[in-house]
């Protein structure tokens, strides 16, 4: 196996397990609260699940899997000192574009896997608990994937510019702002929860195209930053 892909997998593996753990906690919490009647009759299950999954878990899992990537090889920034794998990377005939591609692709594939497992799982729990769901909820999957791509590429860009402490702080602030705006029912493209639920009406298609275009731009900017950065 290619050493770059092996290293990316080893770096992403614990992050992927953390994302899975977050999903397991959400699923268990839903079952327990429904069993105890804490949500039943007081809060719509679909609305609660949408906020937690679309507004919190998805962008947070994207952040975990985006990580700091190549940026943690730098001896500058908030945390000083070279990463232990720096000498390994320097010994490889690899460009920064290859480093970015393998790391971003590995995290992206795992994020896709997380979505394809988590979303149907939570839908299955809702069906088991006899909770109402929108018609054909799996039709929302393309919107989830586009939103995940948007978040993931944005976190990759931020991680290319800042170290992991600062990039995580900035990302969590953005997650909180977007989630709060969405929960308040704010209009426009910043309401990412409404987009993932397919509720933006005529704006659904242009917002989908925007997510694709913005993601391509973010990845391009990430590569430009890394090519100019001194390590």
């Amino acid at each position: 196996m290619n050493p770059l892909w092996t290293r990316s997998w080893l770096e992403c593996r614990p992050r992927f397990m953390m994302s899975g753990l977050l999903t397991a906690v959400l699923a268990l919490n839903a079952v327990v609260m429904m069993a105890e009647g804490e949500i039943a009759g007081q809060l719509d299950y679909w609305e609660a699940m949408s906020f937690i999954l679309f507004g919190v878990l998805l962008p947070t899992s994207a952040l975990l899997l985006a990580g700091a990537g190549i940026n943690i090889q730098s001896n500058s920034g908030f945390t000083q000192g070279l990463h232990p794998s720096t000498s390994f990377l320097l010994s490889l005939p690899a460009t920064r574009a290859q480093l970015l591609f393998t790391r971003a692709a590995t995290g992206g594939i795992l994020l896709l896997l997380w979505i394809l497992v988590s979303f149907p799982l939570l839908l299955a729990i809702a069906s088991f608990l006899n909770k109402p769901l929108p018609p054909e909820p799996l039709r929302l999957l393309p919107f989830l994937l586009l939103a995940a791509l948007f978040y993931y590429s944005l976190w990759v860009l931020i991680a290319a510019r800042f170290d992991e402490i600062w990039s995580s702080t900035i990302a969590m602030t953005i997650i909180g702002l977007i989630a709060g705006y969405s929960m308040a029912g704010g209009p426009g493209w910043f309401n990412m929860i409404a987009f993932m639920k397919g509720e933006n009406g005529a704006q659904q298609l242009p917002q989908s195209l925007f997510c694709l275009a913005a993601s391509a731009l973010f990845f391009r900017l990430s590569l430009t930053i890394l090519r100019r950065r001194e390590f």
Side-chain angles (χ1 to χ4, degrees):
M1 189 175 183
N2 187 294
L4 288 181
W5 288 100
T6 301
R7 178 189 175 279
S8 296
W9 161 246
L10 292 175
E11 181 180 338
C12 290
R13 183 171 58 186
R15 297 170 182 271
F16 181 66
M17 294 175 64
M18 290 177 63
S19 298
L21 179 61
L22 289 175
T23 305
V25 170
L26 171 61
L28 179 61
N29 186 57
V31 172
V32 170
M33 285 194 295
M34 288 298 178
E36 295 180 353
E38 293 182 10
I39 289 183
Q42 302 177 24
L43 183 65
D44 183 83
Y45 178 86
W46 173 244
E47 292 298 325
M49 190 187 80
S50 299
F51 170 72
I52 297 175
L53 178 62
F54 301 159
V56 180
L57 275 185
L58 187 144
T60 302
S61 295
L63 173 61
L64 284 171
L65 291 169
I70 188 177
N71 196 31
I72 59 176
Q73 313 306 321
S74 174
N75 62 356
S76 60
F78 191 90
T79 53
Q80 301 294 321
L82 291 174
H83 191 273
S85 66
T86 300
S87 58
F88 166 74
L89 285 177
L90 293 175
S91 68
L92 297 176
T95 65
R96 297 186 182 191
Q98 290 174 313
L99 292 174
L100 175 64
F101 173 78
T102 53
R103 177 61 181 82
T106 304
I109 292 171
L110 291 176
L111 179 61
L112 172 63
L113 179 60
W114 177 83
I115 293 173
L116 294 178
V117 172
S118 299
F119 187 51
L121 172 64
L122 294 174
L123 292 179
I125 292 175
S127 177
F128 175 76
L129 296 172
N130 296 318
K131 298 303 173 184
L133 292 172
E136 300 180 3
L138 287 178
R139 67 180 174 82
L140 303 179
L141 193 57
F143 302 132
L144 264 71
L145 296 177
L146 285 171
L149 179 63
F150 173 80
Y151 277 120
Y152 185 73
S153 59
L154 178 58
W155 304 154
V156 169
L157 172 60
I158 293 175
R161 178 60 183 86
F162 302 98
D163 60 58
E164 190 154 20
I165 294 178
W166 283 113
S167 62
S168 298
T169 301
I170 295 171
M172 292 305 295
T173 301
I174 294 175
I175 291 173
L177 290 174
I178 293 179
Y181 182 84
S182 300
M183 281 298 294
W189 290 3
F190 288 108
N191 193 331
M192 292 296 291
I193 294 180
F195 170 70
M196 285 183 268
K197 292 168 66 178
E199 296 178 350
N200 274 354
Q203 297 184 19
Q204 202 70 22
L205 178 58
Q207 189 169 358
S208 299
L209 297 176
F210 168 78
C211 287
L212 285 173
S215 299
L217 176 62
F218 292 155
F219 282 127
R220 179 61 187 177
L221 290 174
S222 301
L223 180 57
T224 300
I225 291 173
L226 290 177
R227 280 176 171 168
R228 296 179 179 179
R229 190 177 179 89
E230 294 184 2
F231 290 91

